[in-house]
Amino acid sequence: MSKKHYLIIALLIAAVIPMSAARRQHTKKAASTKTTATVAAHNAVEEDEMNLASVSKTNPFEIVPAAGMEILGDIEDSSADFSMIEDMLGYARKFMGVRYVHGGRSPRGFDCSGFTSYVYGQFGYELSPSSSKQYTQGKKVSRSEVQPGDLLFFTGRASRSGRVGHVAIAVDADPVSGEITFIHAARSGIKIDRISAPYYASRFLGARRVIGN
């Protein structure tokens, strides 16, 4: 082989070695860049998780699961019912002193079931005009469970009959003493009485809950 051939081969080798080194350097740089990007992405995820945890601690209602939404909905419904009952009892008190009229169902005069059905009706609840049929509406509650707005039922003057003859609306219930006050159409007109009064204590039959049952 001539010197000329040796010279050409040497020149080719000299050219290939720098290109190979450059390629290795480029590959190393690319790998380093990819690793940096991966670390940055991982840090971003951790930062988002920390921010989420921070939001949850400072404002737990920022993100609420489905079950939590149901609980909040129940609370809102209970609050709305309580507000309605307060308004209804305030409305019922406006008729204090209105005279008793047998079969009466208007502010010109009420009987017991006419009064309860009229008051409830003003708030979107339809009650039967009969006290005995009202005793089948809503949900039965025990005396210890009575709340404002519940319907209270009593026998008529013939207390031994065991049949519904009178209905009233609970105004207040003391869980400690067991005392219940109620508004109703008595023979003397619309008034508030106590369930502990002998006349009513001996005639009490039960209670029903129509609002929020």
Side-chain angles (χ1 to χ4, degrees), residues 73-87:
D74 291 341
I75 294 173
E76 290 175 356
D77 291 342
S78 297
S79 178
D81 289 341
F82 179 76
S83 178
M84 178 186 291
I85 290 170
E86 281 193 323
D87 292 342

Side-chain angles (χ1 to χ4, degrees), residues 189-205:
I190 304 299
K191 60 183 294 190
I192 291 178
D193 279 307
R194 296 178 179 275
I195 203 170
S196 60
Y199 180 82
Y200 296 107
S202 62
R203 289 171 168 77
F204 179 71
L205 289 176

Side-chain angles (χ1 to χ4, degrees), residues 41-56 63:
H42 179 71
N43 290 340
V45 170
E46 288 187 341
E47 183 176 354
D48 288 343
E49 291 177 348
M50 290 177 64
N51 288 339
L52 178 60
S54 178
V55 169
S56 298
I63 300 175

Side-chain angles (χ1 to χ4, degrees), residues 73-112:
D74 291 341
I75 294 173
E76 290 175 356
D77 291 342
S78 297
S79 178
D81 289 341
F82 179 76
S83 178
M84 178 186 291
I85 290 170
E86 281 193 323
D87 292 342
M88 185 179 74
L89 293 176
Y91 181 75
R93 288 188 180 94
K94 292 181 179 181
F95 299 103
M96 292 282 288
V98 171
R99 65 186 181 128
Y100 178 91
V101 174
H102 180 70
R105 296 181 176 85
S106 76
R108 291 190 298 272
F110 293 106
D111 65 8
C112 64

Side-chain angles (χ1 to χ4, degrees), residues 143-203:
R143 178 168 172 171
S144 63
E145 296 173 324
V146 169
Q147 297 176 2
D150 290 344
L151 295 174
L152 307 178
F153 296 88
F154 305 83
T155 63
R157 293 186 177 182
S159 60
R160 294 182 180 180
S161 68
R163 293 180 295 182
V164 175
H166 190 63
V167 61
I169 303 174
V171 173
D172 189 36
D174 188 333
V176 177
S177 67
E179 183 66 275
I180 300 171
T181 57
F182 55 89
I183 187 168
H184 65 135
R187 290 291 177 176
S188 56
I190 304 299
K191 60 183 294 190
I192 291 178
D193 279 307
R194 296 178 179 275
I195 203 170
S196 60
Y199 180 82
Y200 296 107
S202 62
R203 289 171 168 77

